[in-house]
Amino acid sequence: MNRILLASAFLLAGLSTLCAAETPPLPAAVAPVMKRPAVTLVEPHLHIARSNISGHARIALTFDACMGQADERILSMLVRERIPATIFVTARWLKRNPAALAVFLQNPDLFELENHGENHIPAVDRPTLVYGIASAGSPQAVRQEVEGGAAAMLAAGIPAPHWFRGSTAKYDLSAIGEIRALGYRIAGYSVNGDGGSLLGAAITEKRIASAKDGDVVISHINQPTHAAGEGVAKALVDLKTKGTEFVRLQDVQDMGDDKTTE
């Protein structure tokens, strides 16, 4: 009997060991995955004081010079037709386009040069992507983008800028406050003329031709191989023929939303 009891004990012990080996260990506690809150972006609008004269619309032309080369189709037309404009330049564009810069500086009655940043980085102070471009990501990086752009302008002989427009023209509200604290007005717009220079000539021409009294038009002057530049040049000549008054931002009163000009 004792032998039987002893054999049973060994058998039970073996089965317990086998079951323990086959039973998977309980998973360790997994920390919950915290989702990063979405960054809320705004794309501010800007308008200027209207002329309120029938057949004599007042429009502010603004051009971004992001990277790449100067678009001579637009630049030469502005000089030839004596059409004033505000040009937002990056430090990167200034390095590559000394000849175009010389034209701007030789025509101070036509061109107001303002700050488009150091490296064409969206002025958003939290990490995110804007049209696939990584944002500055922190208040310090936003400050560097703004102040780096201004420093390059001063080094190139350009007067100190008063306006800033960031890459993509999108911001978060806290970054707007930071840029305003640096002493800048932030340049939104009311008419997107060339869709980032990616539109065709005909649709670009149509968009710019639709500008009304008090509008601020944004286009690009740094993509000479894109069809949009042809549409920009044609639309502006046609608007001038119709009696449109073109002004720079420094010449008129303005009204921007999202606390960009208050």
Side-chain angles (χ1 to χ4, degrees):
M1 176 66 71
N2 288 337
R3 290 180 179 178
I4 294 173
L5 290 174
L6 185 60
S8 298
F10 279 121
L11 178 60
L12 289 172
L15 288 173
S16 297
T17 301
L18 179 62
C19 289
E22 291 179 349
T23 302
L26 293 174
V30 177
V33 177
M34 301 298 291
K35 290 185 177 180
R36 180 181 294 167
V39 180
T40 300
L41 301 179
V42 295
E43 190 168 3
H45 295 92
L46 181 67
H47 289 84
I48 58 169
R50 299 174 180 175
S51 74
N52 291 319
I53 300 173
S54 179
H56 188 75
R58 177 185 293 148
I59 295 171
L61 294 179
T62 69
F63 290 93
D64 287 358
C66 313
M67 295 167 280
Q69 301 294 329
D71 191 335
E72 287 294 336
R73 295 169 300 180
I74 299 173
L75 180 54
S76 61
M77 178 276 301
L78 294 174
V79 174
R80 181 180 66 251
E81 299 291 334
R82 309 309 294 170
I83 293 178
T86 301
I87 315 294
F88 287 86
V89 296
T90 67
R92 295 174 66 175
W93 188 88
L94 288 173
K95 290 178 182 178
R96 297 189 61 180
N97 294 275
L101 173 60
V103 173
F104 290 145
L105 295 178
Q106 290 163 6
N107 292 274
D109 58 321
L110 292 182
F111 300 116
E112 171 191 7
L113 299 180
E114 297 292 350
N115 189 356
H116 196 33
E118 183 176 25
N119 290 307
H120 202 246
I121 296 172
V124 177
D125 64 9
R126 293 166 59 191
T128 191
L129 294 176
V130 188
Y131 300 129
I133 305 173
S135 66
S138 71
Q140 296 78 12
V142 169
R143 185 184 186 98
Q144 178 58 45
E145 176 70 1
V146 176
E147 293 188 333
M153 294 178 70
L154 293 174
I158 301 170
H162 302 287
W163 287 87
F164 177 80
R165 176 183 285 156
S167 166
T168 74
K170 289 180 180 287
Y171 316 82
D172 57 341
L173 293 179
S174 54
I176 286 176
E178 292 152 13
I179 297 166
R180 295 286 286 125
L182 293 174
Y184 287 89
R185 302 170 80 78
I186 297 175
Y189 60 89
S190 57
V191 175
N192 186 337
D194 63 0
S197 83
L198 299 177
L199 297 177
I203 187 63
T204 296
E205 180 183 350
K206 184 176 180 180
R207 282 194 178 194
I208 295 176
S210 72
K212 297 177 175 59
D213 195 14
D215 271 334
V216 176
V217 177
I218 181 176
S219 296
H220 290 74
I221 197 168
N222 66 301
Q223 295 290 355
T225 64
H226 291 192
E230 177 185 343
V232 171
K234 187 174 188 308
L236 296 183
V237 171
D238 290 345
L239 284 173
K240 181 185 176 184
T241 302
K242 294 176 181 178
T244 299
E245 176 191 3
F246 297 106
V247 297
R248 303 168 298 183
L249 293 181
Q250 69 182 30
D251 299 328
V252 287
Q253 293 182 328
D254 53 77
M255 300 146 283
D257 57 13
D258 295 310
K259 298 185 178 180
T260 51
T261 63
E262 292 178 1

